[in-house]
Every structure is written in C-alpha cells, then in structure tokens.
Amino acid sequence: MKRFFLPALTAGLCSLLVACGGGGSSTPAPTPTPPTPQPLAAVDACANSSNFAVTSQAPTAPGRPAAVGVLNCQSVGELTQLSWTQTEGPAVSMQSARSQLIAFEPPQTGRYGFRVQFVDAGGQPQSQSVNVDVAGAFPTPLISPRTSQAVRMGGKVSLRAWPSPGVGASQISWTQLEGPVVTLDTQDPTVAFFTAPTVTRDTVIRLRVTATSQGRSDSADVTVLVERHAQATTGDASALWEGYHVSRVYPYIASSPHAAHLVPCTYAANQRDTSLCSLERLPLLAQETLGQPPAIDQVMNRVLVSHDWMGVNFRRFLETHDTRGDFRRMLMSTTAVVIGAQVRPSFYYAATGAIYLDADNFWLTPEERDTINEAPDYRGAFGKTLQYDMLWRYTIGNASIYSYYAPDQRVTRPIGDLLADAGPLMYHELGHALDFTPPAAYAGLDRSKTLWDNIAPRYGAKQLTSDRAGSLHPLISTELQGLGQVKFHGVTASALQNSYTPSQIAGFFAPDLATDEYAYSTSREDTAMTFEEVLLTRRLGYRRDVAVTPAIQAGDTSRTILVTWGQRGRIGDPRLHPRARLVMNDLAPWFDTTELGQLPAPTPMRAGESWYSNLFLGSEPLRKPFAAGGPLPTKEEWGVFQKELKRRHHARHEGRPTLDRHVH
C-alpha cells in the first residue's frame, strides 16, 4: 500500500459577620489574608502501587481550582472506560467525567467526594474513591486558572489563568512544582504552553501561577496528568499515524453498536497500513442506511469525543442547522466523526473514512471552552518571506459571519454561532469524504475489504472527481501552483517567488478558475473549496470574500491592511460553473445544479482601500472607508480579524507532506 504522511459570596458574608460581631466595636476587623501556598514536594502517586493510584489537588479556598485523577502505574497498557461520579459535597460541574482527571471549582467549604470506575491495564474492572477537603473562605482571588487536564505524552498543553481586574501581565508568573521538568512558554503570561514529556508510566505535573498586586500575592495550582501512551514514531513508514499525535477519545454513545470498533478503526496510535479495518467491521454510514439519509441517532452512534459536551453540541448542531439534511447525507460517506480538544487542524482521512474536527468550532459555554487546547499552530510561518497575503472570510449582508469572543472573557455564545464556525468546516471536510467515496460508489463497495482498498482502484486510475475536474477544467497558473507548495506545505520559497508583488499575484489569480489560493495546494482542495462555496452560498446565503494584499505585518489590522485586488462571491463567475457543475453532480446528486445560474455575480472590491472597508460592498449602505493611519479598530473588529487569520492558518495550512489519504 502506498504510504502517505500526515502532516466570592462566602468571603463577603464572612467579612460582614466579623465586622458586626460582639463587643460593639465600629472598627471592622482586618480582612483575612490567605496563607501563602508552600512549594509541593515531588510525590510519586504510584510509589505504593504497581497497578493504579489516585491523585488529588485541593484548592486553597472555595471557588479556586481543584482536581482529582487516576493513574495507570504500569509501564504498558492504559486505563479505559473511565467514568467519574460525585459522591459527597455540593454538586460541581465535571466537564471531563470520562477522562483520567477531572477539574472542578468547589462553591463552598467542606468535603467533596468522587468515585471513578474504569477498566485497568490488565482488563479488570476497578473502582476507586478520592476526597478533597476545601478550607475556609478568603478574599477574591487575584488569579484563577481553570485548566487542569489529562494529556497523552507528546501532546500539546495549554494552561490559561484569568487575572482579576487591575492585575497586569507583568505581575503574573508561573513555576513548576512537581513532575518531570518541562519548558514553559509564557510569552503571554496568562497562558502557559508546554509539550507533555515522555514518561515511563502515568505521571503528574503540577504548576503554580502567582499574581502580585498592591503588596498582595495570590497563587493557585493546576495539575496535568501525563498519560503513558506510545505514539507512532516518525520514520515508521507503515504506521498509519506516523509522526502524528493521537489524543484520547471515546465513543460518545457507549451503547452504540459500533462502540467497540470506533477507536481501533479510526483513531488509535497503533494502527498500521496492514491492519486497517474492513467495511464489515466498521461500514460506511451509507451501508448501514442502505443509501437512505440517516437519522441523527445513527450519526451519533459513530461520534467519538474527548469530552461529552462535544457530542451534546454536535447533536444540537445537527438538530438546529441541518434542517435540509445536507450534513447527514454527506456524512454517509464517512465511518465516524472524531471531535477532540487536541485535534488541530480538522481533516478527513481516507484510510479510516473518518472526519476529525477541532472542538474549538463547537463550544458554547466558558466551561466547555476551558477544556480545549490553545497551543499555537506553527504552520502560520509558512510563506512568511513572500511579499503578499491572500485573505478570505464569509459574509452575509455586508457583515462577517464570525463573532469574536476574547479567550480571557468568561462568555457563553448562542447556538446560532455554531453554524458560522462549524458550517464551512463541515461542508469542506465532507466534500473530501464525498470526493473519495461519492454516492455513486456506495452500491459497489466490498465489505470484505478496507475502505482504502475500495478507493484505491479509482484513485490509481485518477477517477476521483478532483482528478476529473483538474483534467477537464485545469487551473492554469503554474506560478500559483508553485506558491501553493510554499504556502500550504512548507516548501522554501525561491528568490523568484519572493520577488512576486501583490499586483503580480492578482494578475495570476484573477483570470484563473480557483475560488481561493488554497485550491493550488492540491486538486483535492480545489474540489473541496468549490463544493464548500457553492453550498454555503445557496444553502446559507454566505458569500466568500477573497483578496490579495501586501504581506501582513505585526500590528496590522483589518483597517490598516490594504486590498490590492479582491472579489466577493467568486463562485458566481460563469467561467467557474462548468467545473462546479461536475463537482456538484458527482458529490451531491441531490443538489439541483440549475441553482448555479442563480449564484450572484462576483462583486469587485475597491483596490487601495482596507480589508475592513471592503466589508461594505454592493447595494448596502457604504460606511466611511478606513485607510492606513485611520482610527484604531474596536476590540471586536480586531478580534474578528484575528479570528479570520487564525482560521486561515488552522484550517487552510497543512503541516506535513500529504495527502491523499490524509486531507485537510
């Protein structure tokens, strides 16, 4: 087989009682000062056990972070089928109740008890209890971290802390208290990043964040449980996940008829090219429904998550935003949906038939968001020596579809926001799944073979829709094809490529047939981009902006970066319709391709004006344009621009030589 690489109410009451206590004094008693936490001695939780052990982190006061966890003390195997329940104390929220470590914030003093049930590394069912005692109340904290977590070794860790008003970044510091020494990246002092080290058995790393303000110092601890879990190594050519970190996920529906096969068939670090699952073991959703659109319950039986809330919100997404059945029809070309806190970027993998989705697209509450890894994506550095950038966004009614929620704010977003984040993502990744396994192929699938073995003959004969579209309606710019390798695959730019001006890039792009420069990454992306834009325009009324600009520099904003050339709704150009018709006929035969004639014609952007001012195009009232040197954007405008850039780097760049079985 050909090998491909992946790239404080209680405190207030306490103060009142002290001030109003006996003696009749009118002088309030001094506010109690919390004791300074002492450095923790390094403790080996497994020292007295050869099997498994529990660990806990008690808070310094109510409302401060606490954590409890269970460790596998053996050097092989892992703990599975984890389930935490609370047995004592006021109810607390547990976002990670099916992982090895849960974090919570006790609302008041007292004892909090928990029980964890699991299957140990030897395959035996086990049950363990652990208690956490919470001391008395103290003044409002200066700093509040909320991100204790479990992560497999080699995984990226992000730990965020929220400072109280008036605490500046320079007043925040992080120190490690326990565990193997890690290198902390705290360029933003409110967030600490590190890579989980290699360990010989499950190991606890504990860190402390401290804030100092007006002579007062306040600290809180966070716990990271590093799971011993072997990953496929770089250079192991037959490993399916060679060089890629596979994070822990589990079937959202434990009673699903597919539960036993979901992880080993779609997201296990020990999968190999020679041991892929047959379609008899894990069939496509289309095979289960006999070609009929699936019910939401049938979809949910194939969902894997790293946290339960992801499954809850994915179901709400389908119930709220799939009223026409597009997503469920497209999901028929998949074996599973994997949603994870560590999955970044989202992708489709033809070797497993699953789509893998970044959970950042699905959070609704701040507690859910707390569980998502924030580790930065190094791929944003690709193409940084070039003189140009190409920006994109989706708009509706002269407004960006995106809303910005600052990560340092504790906010809840409405269910409607999931459509803007997850809608384009789903159309794109499922476009890949349909390219490899279109509806016309369902009837001929051989259940005794793997999905890849079913795909391989058509792939080898270049019969995929993306192959045919590229052959019948090819992209003509060899310059942009070369730059696609630089921008999306990390190839070093040549001197000639570094010399191209934004005007030259516009000259290459405007007469060609691509909807976005990502189309020049591979023919698979070209097809997925066409598919995505057609459906987002016709189903949701979104129109896609694409623009060539000078290279974005540090400090640039949507009001300072100027457009050299740009269009809104490029898919409406009749020159693109023959290839769009081919793509839609093959991948979405339920879509009426006569609707392509109803796509609005492209709207040109105003060259020399900012990306922000070009948000207002066409017949909508034009607001005063803002050019370089104009007023600073509002925090929200700045945030939306940063989100657009983040989406470009996370959703559009590929980190390793790829594809075809592994498609972003």
Side-chain angles (χ1 to χ4, degrees), residues 381-591:
F382 291 171
K384 286 302 182 183
T385 60
L386 302 175
Q387 293 189 45
Y388 79 97
D389 262 302
M390 286 191 74
L391 301 182
W392 67 271
R393 65 190 167 204
Y394 280 106
T395 67
I396 187 168
N398 277 344
S400 172
I401 68 168
Y402 306 119
S403 299
Y404 176 67
Y405 300 94
D408 59 348
Q409 300 298 310
R410 309 290 294 167
V411 296
T412 296
R413 64 178 182 174
I415 186 71
D417 268 20
L418 294 192
L419 186 60
D421 274 0
L425 171 69
M426 292 282 286
Y427 278 130
H428 186 92
E429 301 308 336
L430 290 172
H432 285 309
L434 289 158
D435 185 20
F436 282 85
T437 312
Y442 296 159
L445 294 172
D446 185 340
R447 285 178 174 266
S448 69
K449 296 181 177 181
T450 69
L451 177 61
W452 180 250
D453 285 341
N454 276 276
I455 292 171
R458 290 183 294 107
Y459 171 81
K462 297 189 180 298
Q463 293 176 350
L464 302 188
T465 299
S466 51
D467 294 317
R468 295 172 55 231
S471 175
L472 295 172
H473 311 283
L475 301 180
I476 61 176
S477 174
T478 56
E479 295 89 353
L480 288 174
Q481 288 170 0
L483 287 165
Q485 301 306 301
V486 174
K487 294 291 289 291
F488 306 112
H489 297 275
V491 173
T492 301
S494 67
L496 177 60
Q497 290 171 326
N498 283 326
S499 73
Y500 289 141
T501 66
S503 293
Q504 288 178 294
I505 298 299
F508 301 147
F509 185 79
D512 213 346
L513 299 178
T515 63
D516 184 88
E517 71 167 340
Y518 195 38
Y520 297 97
S521 170
T522 68
S523 63
R524 317 304 175 205
E525 299 304 342
D526 182 21
T527 292
M529 290 305 305
T530 299
F531 183 77
E532 168 191 330
E533 189 168 352
V534 168
L535 285 173
L536 285 171
T537 304
R538 290 304 301 160
R539 295 301 201 231
L540 304 180
Y542 294 172
R543 299 188 69 195
R544 197 170 197 279
D545 287 0
V546 60
V548 180
T549 73
I552 297 172
Q553 305 297 324
D556 273 335
T557 72
S558 60
R559 295 192 182 186
T560 64
I561 192 72
L562 304 182
V563 169
T564 300
W565 173 92
Q567 280 184 328
R568 173 168 296 165
R570 183 170 172 82
I571 195 64
D573 187 332
R575 297 180 303 120
L576 277 62
H577 291 179
R579 68 206 315 267
R581 186 172 295 107
L582 184 157
V583 168
M584 302 310 296
N585 277 332
D586 281 7
L587 307 192
W590 63 88
F591 177 82

Side-chain angles (χ1 to χ4, degrees), residues 344-346 358 376-384 389-392 487-488 517-518 552 641-655 664:
R344 182 169 297 165
S346 302
D358 184 345
D377 196 322
Y378 69 90
R379 293 162 302 170
F382 291 171
K384 286 302 182 183
D389 262 302
M390 286 191 74
L391 301 182
W392 67 271
K487 294 291 289 291
F488 306 112
E517 71 167 340
Y518 195 38
I552 297 172
F641 183 58
Q642 295 304 307
K643 185 169 184 175
E644 290 166 352
L645 296 181
K646 177 182 177 182
R647 289 180 64 84
R648 179 184 55 157
H649 292 156
H650 287 178
R652 301 300 182 213
H653 285 185
E654 299 171 22
H664 296 268

Side-chain angles (χ1 to χ4, degrees), residues 123-185:
Q124 298 301 308
Q126 302 288 350
S127 179
Q128 284 286 295
S129 296
V130 58
N131 297 324
V132 173
D133 293 318
V134 180
F138 296 109
T140 302
L142 295 180
I143 194 82
S144 299
R146 294 180 173 91
T147 47
S148 290
Q149 60 195 267
V151 62
R152 289 175 172 173
M153 60 187 194
K156 303 296 183 182
V157 178
S158 63
L159 302 171
R160 177 173 288 275
W162 285 258
S164 296
V167 176
S170 63
Q171 299 167 294
I172 302 171
S173 61
W174 293 81
T175 54
Q176 183 176 352
L177 305 176
E178 184 180 333
V181 177
V182 297
T183 300
L184 296 178
D185 176 354

